[in-house]
Amino acid sequence: MLTQVLLQLVVVVTLMVLVSIAVFVGRYRLRDTRLEWRARIRAAAPVSALLAAVLLFNSVARQYGPDVSWIIHWNLTWPIYDVEGEFILWLQSFEAPAITAYFSFIYIYGYVFLLVFPVIAYFALSNTRPLRELLTAYTLNYVLGLGLYVFIVAYGPRNMMPELVDALLYDTYPQYQHLTRQVNRNTNVFPSLHTSLAATVMFLAFRTRAIYPKWFLLATGLGVSIAISTMYLGIHWAIDVAAGIVLAYICVALAHVLVGRWSFTAWVASLRDSSTSTGADTNTGANAGFPKTPPSESTSKSHSHSDSDSEPESETGSDPEPERA
Amino acid sequence: MNSPSDDADTGTSRRSLLAAGATGLSIAASGCIDRVQSVVDSDAAEQLSLSILSLPAADGDRESAEIARHLEGNLEAVGIDATISTRSESEFLEAILIDQDFDLYVGRHPADFDPDFLYETLHSTYEYDQGWQNPFSFTDTLSIDPLLERQRNETGADRERAVTELLEAIAQVKPFEPICVANEYRAVRTDRFDGWDETHLGTGRGYLGLESATSSDTEQLHALVTDQRLAQTFNPLSPTTREQDVIVDLVYDSLAVPTWSVPDEAEATEEETQAGAEVIDAANVSIEPWLATDWEWDGDTRTMTVDIREDCTFHDHTEGDSNDDNGNNGTDSAIPLTAEDVRFTYRFLADTTYGRTSSASPAPRYQGHASAVDSVTVEDDYRLTISFSTDRAVAERALTVPILPSGSDSPWIAHLESRVDSTDDDWSPTQGDWSIVTTDHAPPTGSGPYKYDSHDAGESVTLTRFEDHFTLRDDDHDLPAPTADELHFEVDPGTSSSVERVASGDADITTSVLDTYALESTLDDEAVSFVESPSWSFYHVGFNTHNTLCSSPRFRRAVSQLIDKQWVVEDVFAAEDSARPVATPVAEEWTPDSLAWDDGELVTTFIGEDGDVNVDAARELFASAFEYDGGELVR
């Protein structure tokens, strides 16, 4: 059951990505990418490794997180419900099968596409800064969002308002529960990571609107739809969505400040000079040493050195596994 | 026991603090100004506040959640500041049964076919105990306790009278208020295994004696459960794992088992056979021999002489016997089950420290059963004499506990020894919440028809048929034997997705009880149907009588009048006739006329109509005991 749903997801999102590459990225950027991909991967590798490490940590910590949450026990369900009233019920009063189908599609497929495509679109740019900012912002979203999940226990509208019967995702499309159960806990609703990651892409798309004007429009449409879908499907409260947008803003702003502040490449180079490090340590060094390294020369321009030896880490580093979101 | 109230206080202030924080996040939301205002003004006269513990609607129990919201709305209407605290299934049970940190809760009580379950539920002996014994901390030593004891000591019509008196007394003081009893529904498919309607699917017996389809190529029965704790902990003493009875029944043997009779086709009413739903007879439960071959009751001395089956063994989980032919290998090294193990079980349930501490530490389950037993005398390996403090009906019910292994290889003894060794002299484990009760206890060592094989924590658990089990070995009985080679229980938290998986052939049965709204889904497949089983488990509101407000019977009666049971049954339970309102917590045949729902004179009635409370009348009810200040009930 799970594999079937997963396969379907991969196929649909791949199709969407291929079409989008043709529409938004274009032939010339692809041609440049073929020439420069090594350098670009090298530039994005440290933050990709960091993101991968965070996702890996998350998948391990997810088993223990709920227990810790119940011990700390900040149950926000009632305060949220009390403040927000019955906004979700109002939203659901527009319920219609076609709308439910649209938002269910957006919630699953649109969301994964929205997270995957900008990685490719920004990879196709000679300037790697947008890509690194995107991956940094993703990482920050996870770290901050999952941090909040540890402290805050809250159930979404579907668990609080039993009268939401008709438009619930898992009742209309039960197969998706197998998918989302792999990555979500039902007490992790504040803030909405669906919203925050979508809004992150939106904010960055706004920043790169000069380069990808049409993508900015699509990202905005998708992002707004995703935010609404989380509420319409009874998964999140309006307050979760608001908090998600705030979290996204913080992450994008932080990413802007952080990216380019430290250069991992320069740090490795300095280590090579003193010749104390072995190659095997690079991966762990990326996580532990990366933030601690003192600020060195700015790397806001893309790296242009082209070393002849190809790096094996390029394969793992380029896959940020965004579908785990 | 002081700490819960402290916790509650800090909880409230923390909650209002967070509410204020959340308010800041959504300034646009209406009503926030009022809320801040009420926090500021609350110094003068404090509004009465109550927190209702409940389960999540979509991933827990939709009906409980909806009843909780019904109650919350009506409490607000009479001027009480009511809030709902939503907890996951196991956290919910832990708050009620272990921490006893709650004001009110809405949930299901497991109950039983015999009214004696009320003894452990309400007797004052258990006021400070943790577990299913007296979660309400209720004490009434003058009227309720003597009646609880009397119904244990009487027999026949005398017992019926005692039970009637008891139920009427309970309806007056209301330590809890029963709301309704809902039938249990499960989706099954019959193309791989059939015979689901033979007995109650809420017990392990439901998974035995099935008919395996000849064309079937798979001998694994695939069952779905909603509670992931079922695939995490296998401790038969754990009170916080709901619906674990099926697995406990399958892994452990008991001396006797409750048995349901199946009505003949002709006797089944039209309603019962509607929509393909199969019905077994709720009223006709008897305790039949299982591990015991026979017993003799001596009414004068209140002793029972029990003969148990010979040459039964506990499951062997030591390495090496799993792959090769475990017929021979298993018998050699396996621990035999003897009368000594039965003696151990009853003593251990009464005191999980087994005499290692000065005060007994009763298990958080089976106290109604264990407390009926005075002493057990081992006559020989397969014969024992049990001396009871109760009459026959209650004594026979005590035979249904799972038999645990004693002896040096016993995991219970081993755990006990290691705890005694690792602590100093004044070792005093917390009753109901010490490690022997809370440990996962994997692999579980029982002697039942299925043996634990493996589990994937929180995902699934697999049991394999225990080839040495007496139901397969002996032929002097007509007891059901295990059919499927393997039972695979997989966690699937969604009602809709569970039904879909049974419908698509991915699973054979939904072991967990389905939410009634699932019955509305259409099943196209002829091999798939819903099986209806009777239930004693009742939805109820539980009061923590250690809470100052809830300690007043008057208050509890007034709150009970805020629940429209008829509306709950018609509106909350989606499927027609799936639930019936009740005024008393016992099975139908024990319900006295005075508490019959339709015309009993002691039935508590809702103050209002069609789910809408009559606010003025209800306020009058509360005004007789409390004061109103500007529409708010204050203390």
Side-chain angles (χ1 to χ4, degrees), chain B residues 206-232:
Chain B
Y207 297 76
L208 304 178
L210 299 171
E211 298 138 35
S212 178
T214 43
S215 61
S216 166
D217 54 346
T218 169
E219 280 299 301
Q220 188 188 66
L221 192 153
H222 195 160
L224 300 176
V225 292
T226 52
D227 188 358
Q228 60 173 345
R229 274 180 68 87
L230 282 176
Q232 266 163 351

PDB file of all heavy atoms in Angstrom, chain B residues 206-232:
ATOM      1  N   GLY B 206     -11.902 -15.498  19.471  1.00  0.00           N
ATOM      2  CA  GLY B 206     -12.385 -15.136  18.140  1.00  0.00           C
ATOM      3  C   GLY B 206     -11.408 -15.506  17.036  1.00  0.00           C
ATOM      4  O   GLY B 206     -11.787 -15.613  15.873  1.00  0.00           O
ATOM      5  N   TYR B 207     -10.129 -15.698  17.383  1.00  0.00           N
ATOM      6  CA  TYR B 207      -9.094 -15.979  16.381  1.00  0.00           C
ATOM      7  C   TYR B 207      -8.737 -17.451  16.322  1.00  0.00           C
ATOM      8  O   TYR B 207      -7.819 -17.854  15.622  1.00  0.00           O
ATOM      9  CB  TYR B 207      -7.846 -15.124  16.669  1.00  0.00           C
ATOM     10  CG  TYR B 207      -8.170 -13.665  16.537  1.00  0.00           C
ATOM     11  CD1 TYR B 207      -8.884 -13.006  17.526  1.00  0.00           C
ATOM     12  CD2 TYR B 207      -7.826 -12.969  15.392  1.00  0.00           C
ATOM     13  CE1 TYR B 207      -9.242 -11.679  17.389  1.00  0.00           C
ATOM     14  CE2 TYR B 207      -8.170 -11.634  15.248  1.00  0.00           C
ATOM     15  CZ  TYR B 207      -8.880 -10.999  16.248  1.00  0.00           C
ATOM     16  OH  TYR B 207      -9.230  -9.688  16.092  1.00  0.00           O
ATOM     17  N   LEU B 208      -9.459 -18.247  17.098  1.00  0.00           N
ATOM     18  CA  LEU B 208      -9.217 -19.689  17.095  1.00  0.00           C
ATOM     19  C   LEU B 208     -10.382 -20.376  16.397  1.00  0.00           C
ATOM     20  O   LEU B 208     -11.464 -19.814  16.265  1.00  0.00           O
ATOM     21  CB  LEU B 208      -9.119 -20.202  18.534  1.00  0.00           C
ATOM     22  CG  LEU B 208      -8.071 -19.524  19.422  1.00  0.00           C
ATOM     23  CD1 LEU B 208      -8.127 -20.096  20.828  1.00  0.00           C
ATOM     24  CD2 LEU B 208      -6.683 -19.689  18.840  1.00  0.00           C
ATOM     25  N   GLY B 209     -10.147 -21.593  15.978  1.00  0.00           N
ATOM     26  CA  GLY B 209     -11.221 -22.390  15.395  1.00  0.00           C
ATOM     27  C   GLY B 209     -11.791 -21.799  14.125  1.00  0.00           C
ATOM     28  O   GLY B 209     -12.945 -22.025  13.797  1.00  0.00           O
ATOM     29  N   LEU B 210     -10.991 -21.050  13.397  1.00  0.00           N
ATOM     30  CA  LEU B 210     -11.461 -20.492  12.126  1.00  0.00           C
ATOM     31  C   LEU B 210     -11.398 -21.569  11.059  1.00  0.00           C
ATOM     32  O   LEU B 210     -10.693 -22.565  11.208  1.00  0.00           O
ATOM     33  CB  LEU B 210     -10.596 -19.304  11.718  1.00  0.00           C
ATOM     34  CG  LEU B 210     -10.585 -18.123  12.686  1.00  0.00           C
ATOM     35  CD1 LEU B 210      -9.534 -17.120  12.271  1.00  0.00           C
ATOM     36  CD2 LEU B 210     -11.957 -17.472  12.750  1.00  0.00           C
ATOM     37  N   GLU B 211     -12.125 -21.332   9.983  1.00  0.00           N
ATOM     38  CA  GLU B 211     -12.021 -22.255   8.860  1.00  0.00           C
ATOM     39  C   GLU B 211     -11.122 -21.620   7.814  1.00  0.00           C
ATOM     40  O   GLU B 211     -11.358 -20.502   7.382  1.00  0.00           O
ATOM     41  CB  GLU B 211     -13.401 -22.513   8.255  1.00  0.00           C
ATOM     42  CG  GLU B 211     -14.367 -23.155   9.228  1.00  0.00           C
ATOM     43  CD  GLU B 211     -15.754 -22.558   9.132  1.00  0.00           C
ATOM     44  OE1 GLU B 211     -16.157 -22.203   8.012  1.00  0.00           O
ATOM     45  OE2 GLU B 211     -16.410 -22.431  10.168  1.00  0.00           O
ATOM     46  N   SER B 212     -10.092 -22.353   7.458  1.00  0.00           N
ATOM     47  CA  SER B 212      -9.155 -21.825   6.476  1.00  0.00           C
ATOM     48  C   SER B 212      -9.613 -22.255   5.094  1.00  0.00           C
ATOM     49  O   SER B 212      -9.893 -23.418   4.854  1.00  0.00           O
ATOM     50  CB  SER B 212      -7.760 -22.383   6.773  1.00  0.00           C
ATOM     51  OG  SER B 212      -6.863 -21.928   5.809  1.00  0.00           O
ATOM     52  N   ALA B 213      -9.684 -21.306   4.179  1.00  0.00           N
ATOM     53  CA  ALA B 213     -10.119 -21.640   2.822  1.00  0.00           C
ATOM     54  C   ALA B 213      -9.108 -22.580   2.181  1.00  0.00           C
ATOM     55  O   ALA B 213      -7.900 -22.398   2.316  1.00  0.00           O
ATOM     56  CB  ALA B 213     -10.262 -20.370   2.000  1.00  0.00           C
ATOM     57  N   THR B 214      -9.593 -23.598   1.499  1.00  0.00           N
ATOM     58  CA  THR B 214      -8.690 -24.600   0.932  1.00  0.00           C
ATOM     59  C   THR B 214      -7.792 -24.006  -0.146  1.00  0.00           C
ATOM     60  O   THR B 214      -6.653 -24.401  -0.308  1.00  0.00           O
ATOM     61  CB  THR B 214      -9.505 -25.763   0.324  1.00  0.00           C
ATOM     62  OG1 THR B 214     -10.595 -25.200  -0.397  1.00  0.00           O
ATOM     63  CG2 THR B 214     -10.009 -26.691   1.397  1.00  0.00           C
ATOM     64  N   SER B 215      -8.329 -23.050  -0.888  1.00  0.00           N
ATOM     65  CA  SER B 215      -7.558 -22.481  -1.995  1.00  0.00           C
ATOM     66  C   SER B 215      -6.492 -21.504  -1.502  1.00  0.00           C
ATOM     67  O   SER B 215      -5.676 -21.022  -2.268  1.00  0.00           O
ATOM     68  CB  SER B 215      -8.506 -21.752  -2.952  1.00  0.00           C
ATOM     69  OG  SER B 215      -9.134 -20.698  -2.247  1.00  0.00           O
ATOM     70  N   SER B 216      -6.535 -21.234  -0.200  1.00  0.00           N
ATOM     71  CA  SER B 216      -5.643 -20.209   0.327  1.00  0.00           C
ATOM     72  C   SER B 216      -4.180 -20.627   0.211  1.00  0.00           C
ATOM     73  O   SER B 216      -3.799 -21.722   0.592  1.00  0.00           O
ATOM     74  CB  SER B 216      -5.996 -19.960   1.783  1.00  0.00           C
ATOM     75  OG  SER B 216      -4.976 -19.237   2.400  1.00  0.00           O
ATOM     76  N   ASP B 217      -3.353 -19.731  -0.290  1.00  0.00           N
ATOM     77  CA  ASP B 217      -1.930 -20.051  -0.384  1.00  0.00           C
ATOM     78  C   ASP B 217      -1.163 -19.444   0.785  1.00  0.00           C
ATOM     79  O   ASP B 217      -0.053 -19.803   1.070  1.00  0.00           O
ATOM     80  CB  ASP B 217      -1.351 -19.566  -1.720  1.00  0.00           C
ATOM     81  CG  ASP B 217      -1.644 -18.095  -1.937  1.00  0.00           C
ATOM     82  OD1 ASP B 217      -2.486 -17.545  -1.206  1.00  0.00           O
ATOM     83  OD2 ASP B 217      -1.012 -17.510  -2.836  1.00  0.00           O
ATOM     84  N   THR B 218      -1.798 -18.523   1.475  1.00  0.00           N
ATOM     85  CA  THR B 218      -1.114 -17.903   2.609  1.00  0.00           C
ATOM     86  C   THR B 218      -1.733 -18.383   3.901  1.00  0.00           C
ATOM     87  O   THR B 218      -2.937 -18.495   4.020  1.00  0.00           O
ATOM     88  CB  THR B 218      -1.184 -16.376   2.531  1.00  0.00           C
ATOM     89  OG1 THR B 218      -0.721 -15.857   3.788  1.00  0.00           O
ATOM     90  CG2 THR B 218      -2.591 -15.870   2.280  1.00  0.00           C
ATOM     91  N   GLU B 219      -0.887 -18.735   4.828  1.00  0.00           N
ATOM     92  CA  GLU B 219      -1.394 -19.209   6.096  1.00  0.00           C
ATOM     93  C   GLU B 219      -1.210 -18.146   7.176  1.00  0.00           C
ATOM     94  O   GLU B 219      -1.237 -18.429   8.355  1.00  0.00           O
ATOM     95  CB  GLU B 219      -0.710 -20.516   6.483  1.00  0.00           C
ATOM     96  CG  GLU B 219      -1.312 -21.711   5.763  1.00  0.00           C
ATOM     97  CD  GLU B 219      -2.793 -21.921   6.064  1.00  0.00           C
ATOM     98  OE1 GLU B 219      -3.130 -22.106   7.247  1.00  0.00           O
ATOM     99  OE2 GLU B 219      -3.605 -21.876   5.130  1.00  0.00           O
ATOM    100  N   GLN B 220      -0.993 -16.929   6.726  1.00  0.00           N
ATOM    101  CA  GLN B 220      -0.861 -15.855   7.697  1.00  0.00           C
ATOM    102  C   GLN B 220      -2.146 -15.060   7.758  1.00  0.00           C
ATOM    103  O   GLN B 220      -2.672 -14.624   6.732  1.00  0.00           O
ATOM    104  CB  GLN B 220       0.296 -14.921   7.321  1.00  0.00           C
ATOM    105  CG  GLN B 220       0.590 -13.910   8.413  1.00  0.00           C
ATOM    106  CD  GLN B 220       1.593 -12.869   7.979  1.00  0.00           C
ATOM    107  OE1 GLN B 220       1.353 -12.056   7.106  1.00  0.00           O
ATOM    108  NE2 GLN B 220       2.758 -12.899   8.609  1.00  0.00           N
ATOM    109  N   LEU B 221      -2.648 -14.895   8.961  1.00  0.00           N
ATOM    110  CA  LEU B 221      -3.835 -14.069   9.143  1.00  0.00           C
ATOM    111  C   LEU B 221      -3.368 -12.648   9.447  1.00  0.00           C
ATOM    112  O   LEU B 221      -2.570 -12.422  10.352  1.00  0.00           O
ATOM    113  CB  LEU B 221      -4.668 -14.619  10.293  1.00  0.00           C
ATOM    114  CG  LEU B 221      -6.080 -14.062  10.461  1.00  0.00           C
ATOM    115  CD1 LEU B 221      -6.949 -15.117  11.129  1.00  0.00           C
ATOM    116  CD2 LEU B 221      -6.114 -12.808  11.288  1.00  0.00           C
ATOM    117  N   HIS B 222      -3.863 -11.710   8.658  1.00  0.00           N
ATOM    118  CA  HIS B 222      -3.385 -10.346   8.760  1.00  0.00           C
ATOM    119  C   HIS B 222      -4.461  -9.490   9.425  1.00  0.00           C
ATOM    120  O   HIS B 222      -5.545  -9.317   8.892  1.00  0.00           O
ATOM    121  CB  HIS B 222      -3.085  -9.830   7.351  1.00  0.00           C
ATOM    122  CG  HIS B 222      -2.278  -8.590   7.336  1.00  0.00           C
ATOM    123  ND1 HIS B 222      -1.564  -8.162   6.257  1.00  0.00           N
ATOM    124  CD2 HIS B 222      -2.071  -7.659   8.286  1.00  0.00           C
ATOM    125  CE1 HIS B 222      -0.950  -7.039   6.542  1.00  0.00           C
ATOM    126  NE2 HIS B 222      -1.252  -6.712   7.766  1.00  0.00           N
ATOM    127  N   ALA B 223      -4.154  -8.997  10.622  1.00  0.00           N
ATOM    128  CA  ALA B 223      -5.134  -8.213  11.380  1.00  0.00           C
ATOM    129  C   ALA B 223      -4.629  -6.790  11.578  1.00  0.00           C
ATOM    130  O   ALA B 223      -3.424  -6.554  11.642  1.00  0.00           O
ATOM    131  CB  ALA B 223      -5.382  -8.866  12.741  1.00  0.00           C
ATOM    132  N   LEU B 224      -5.547  -5.838  11.662  1.00  0.00           N
ATOM    133  CA  LEU B 224      -5.167  -4.440  11.837  1.00  0.00           C
ATOM    134  C   LEU B 224      -5.596  -3.933  13.211  1.00  0.00           C
ATOM    135  O   LEU B 224      -6.706  -4.199  13.659  1.00  0.00           O
ATOM    136  CB  LEU B 224      -5.817  -3.573  10.755  1.00  0.00           C
ATOM    137  CG  LEU B 224      -5.455  -3.923   9.317  1.00  0.00           C
ATOM    138  CD1 LEU B 224      -6.246  -3.055   8.350  1.00  0.00           C
ATOM    139  CD2 LEU B 224      -3.967  -3.743   9.089  1.00  0.00           C
ATOM    140  N   VAL B 225      -4.706  -3.204  13.857  1.00  0.00           N
ATOM    141  CA  VAL B 225      -5.020  -2.590  15.148  1.00  0.00           C
ATOM    142  C   VAL B 225      -4.735  -1.093  15.056  1.00  0.00           C
ATOM    143  O   VAL B 225      -3.913  -0.672  14.243  1.00  0.00           O
ATOM    144  CB  VAL B 225      -4.192  -3.211  16.298  1.00  0.00           C
ATOM    145  CG1 VAL B 225      -4.611  -4.644  16.536  1.00  0.00           C
ATOM    146  CG2 VAL B 225      -2.702  -3.124  16.011  1.00  0.00           C
ATOM    147  N   THR B 226      -5.423  -0.301  15.867  1.00  0.00           N
ATOM    148  CA  THR B 226      -5.192   1.145  15.777  1.00  0.00           C
ATOM    149  C   THR B 226      -4.157   1.629  16.781  1.00  0.00           C
ATOM    150  O   THR B 226      -3.479   2.610  16.528  1.00  0.00           O
ATOM    151  CB  THR B 226      -6.502   1.928  16.028  1.00  0.00           C
ATOM    152  OG1 THR B 226      -7.080   1.473  17.240  1.00  0.00           O
ATOM    153  CG2 THR B 226      -7.473   1.741  14.903  1.00  0.00           C
ATOM    154  N   ASP B 227      -4.037   0.937  17.908  1.00  0.00           N
ATOM    155  CA  ASP B 227      -3.160   1.432  18.960  1.00  0.00           C
ATOM    156  C   ASP B 227      -1.743   0.924  18.754  1.00  0.00           C
ATOM    157  O   ASP B 227      -1.493  -0.268  18.821  1.00  0.00           O
ATOM    158  CB  ASP B 227      -3.700   0.974  20.323  1.00  0.00           C
ATOM    159  CG  ASP B 227      -2.943   1.604  21.477  1.00  0.00           C
ATOM    160  OD1 ASP B 227      -1.982   2.357  21.207  1.00  0.00           O
ATOM    161  OD2 ASP B 227      -3.301   1.357  22.632  1.00  0.00           O
ATOM    162  N   GLN B 228      -0.808   1.847  18.536  1.00  0.00           N
ATOM    163  CA  GLN B 228       0.546   1.382  18.269  1.00  0.00           C
ATOM    164  C   GLN B 228       1.214   0.805  19.516  1.00  0.00           C
ATOM    165  O   GLN B 228       2.218   0.105  19.420  1.00  0.00           O
ATOM    166  CB  GLN B 228       1.397   2.495  17.670  1.00  0.00           C
ATOM    167  CG  GLN B 228       1.539   3.711  18.531  1.00  0.00           C
ATOM    168  CD  GLN B 228       2.539   4.669  17.925  1.00  0.00           C
ATOM    169  OE1 GLN B 228       3.295   4.302  17.049  1.00  0.00           O
ATOM    170  NE2 GLN B 228       2.533   5.900  18.387  1.00  0.00           N
ATOM    171  N   ARG B 229       0.649   1.054  20.674  1.00  0.00           N
ATOM    172  CA  ARG B 229       1.222   0.455  21.881  1.00  0.00           C
ATOM    173  C   ARG B 229       1.079  -1.065  21.873  1.00  0.00           C
ATOM    174  O   ARG B 229       1.836  -1.763  22.535  1.00  0.00           O
ATOM    175  CB  ARG B 229       0.557   1.026  23.125  1.00  0.00           C
ATOM    176  CG  ARG B 229       1.214   2.306  23.595  1.00  0.00           C
ATOM    177  CD  ARG B 229       0.527   2.838  24.817  1.00  0.00           C
ATOM    178  NE  ARG B 229       0.723   1.992  25.987  1.00  0.00           N
ATOM    179  CZ  ARG B 229       1.755   2.102  26.807  1.00  0.00           C
ATOM    180  NH1 ARG B 229       2.681   2.991  26.590  1.00  0.00           N
ATOM    181  NH2 ARG B 229       1.859   1.319  27.865  1.00  0.00           N
ATOM    182  N   LEU B 230       0.095  -1.553  21.116  1.00  0.00           N
ATOM    183  CA  LEU B 230      -0.069  -2.994  21.020  1.00  0.00           C
ATOM    184  C   LEU B 230       1.149  -3.653  20.409  1.00  0.00           C
ATOM    185  O   LEU B 230       1.418  -4.828  20.640  1.00  0.00           O
ATOM    186  CB  LEU B 230      -1.301  -3.329  20.178  1.00  0.00           C
ATOM    187  CG  LEU B 230      -2.653  -3.180  20.866  1.00  0.00           C
ATOM    188  CD1 LEU B 230      -3.754  -3.456  19.890  1.00  0.00           C
ATOM    189  CD2 LEU B 230      -2.742  -4.133  22.043  1.00  0.00           C
ATOM    190  N   ALA B 231       1.879  -2.896  19.598  1.00  0.00           N
ATOM    191  CA  ALA B 231       3.083  -3.439  18.974  1.00  0.00           C
ATOM    192  C   ALA B 231       4.337  -2.952  19.690  1.00  0.00           C
ATOM    193  O   ALA B 231       5.425  -2.939  19.131  1.00  0.00           O
ATOM    194  CB  ALA B 231       3.128  -3.051  17.502  1.00  0.00           C
ATOM    195  N   GLN B 232       4.164  -2.501  20.930  1.00  0.00           N
ATOM    196  CA  GLN B 232       5.322  -2.019  21.673  1.00  0.00           C
ATOM    197  C   GLN B 232       5.480  -2.743  22.995  1.00  0.00           C
ATOM    198  O   GLN B 232       6.584  -3.079  23.402  1.00  0.00           O
ATOM    199  CB  GLN B 232       5.173  -0.518  21.964  1.00  0.00           C
ATOM    200  CG  GLN B 232       5.853   0.351  20.937  1.00  0.00           C
ATOM    201  CD  GLN B 232       5.362   1.783  21.003  1.00  0.00           C
ATOM    202  OE1 GLN B 232       4.406   2.114  21.689  1.00  0.00           O
ATOM    203  NE2 GLN B 232       6.023   2.637  20.260  1.00  0.00           N
TER     204      GLN B 232
END
